[in-house]
Amino acid sequence: MTDIFDRITLASTRLLPLLARLTFAAVLLRYFWGSALTKLDGLFTPSLGAYAQIFPRQMEAAGYDVSQFGAFHWLVVMGGTYAEFILPALIVVGLFTRLAALGMIGFTVVQSLTDIIGHKADAVTVGAWFDRASDALIMDQRTFWMFVFITLVGMGGGMFSLDSALKSRLTRKGYAPEIAV
């Protein structure tokens, strides 16, 4: 009996990172890319909505006049916007997967705090753990997102990832046998 469970453990260890990446691609990739697209009027021109999404209270205080915002705000908006393009792409192809997933954890925490504090999300939207309802946008859904990201931080990109291919290639050349993928 233990042999069966040992095989299941081995298979799970090999498959979980790949399944986490596929789950991310199926459920969240278009969400993040779609969100990023709403934040751009041009390659380096953030939309008014980008500032309103990322700095909601400051935008309201400024009367939605972006000219009152400086270089710091532009950098935050552009950094966040391009993170929504780049980090998901890295996760899907499995390149620098651990770092990309760690970045997505930080991104999701900031996104959630912005929704709760900046946009003043109501109690139903925020939700609560260990309640009967499982459909809250923040506490419930984003907990599952975090589970996928934590799996990738802990286990790497897994099979069929560029991380794995890179490690294999570097190991064959004798450069990096200690790289954890």
Side-chain angles (χ1 to χ4, degrees):
M1 188 65 130
T2 22
D3 189 45
I4 290 171
F5 290 114
D6 288 343
R7 288 178 187 212
I8 291 171
T9 299
L10 182 60
S12 297
T13 303
R14 290 182 179 166
L15 285 175
L16 277 175
L18 174 62
L19 293 175
R21 289 179 25 243
L22 289 173
T23 299
F24 176 83
V27 177
L28 293 172
L29 178 65
R30 290 186 61 195
Y31 166 83
F32 282 109
W33 283 359
S35 173
L37 286 171
T38 68
K39 293 180 177 86
L40 291 174
D41 280 341
L43 195 57
F44 298 108
T45 309
S47 67
L48 177 67
Y51 288 98
Q53 288 177 46
I54 297 171
F55 298 107
R57 289 186 179 187
Q58 288 178 300
M59 278 294 285
E60 188 176 351
Y64 296 92
D65 178 9
V66 178
S67 69
Q68 294 185 37
F69 287 76
F72 168 78
H73 295 94
W74 182 86
L75 283 171
V76 169
V77 168
M78 293 307 294
T81 299
Y82 280 100
E84 282 188 292
F85 283 119
I86 295 167
L87 295 175
L90 290 173
I91 287 173
V92 170
V93 299
L95 181 62
F96 308 121
T97 308
R98 293 174 192 262
L99 289 174
L102 195 58
M104 289 304 299
I105 288 171
F107 188 94
T108 302
V109 167
V110 170
Q111 175 188 26
S112 299
L113 290 173
T114 300
D115 288 343
I116 294 168
I117 297 166
H119 293 288
K120 301 175 187 171
D122 61 23
V124 173
T125 302
V126 173
W129 288 334
F130 308 107
D131 62 355
R132 187 167 176 252
S134 62
D135 59 350
L137 290 176
I138 297 175
M139 294 298 285
D140 295 332
Q141 287 185 12
R142 293 182 188 167
T143 298
F144 280 105
W145 299 5
M146 289 298 213
F147 184 77
V148 169
F149 300 144
I150 291 167
T151 298
L152 292 171
V153 169
M155 300 182 83
M159 297 182 341
F160 308 115
S161 68
L162 290 178
D163 287 337
S164 180
L166 185 61
K167 178 185 177 187
S168 176
R169 183 175 177 97
L170 291 175
T171 302
R172 274 195 315 266
K173 292 187 178 220
Y175 292 125
E178 72 283 346
I179 292 177
V181 176

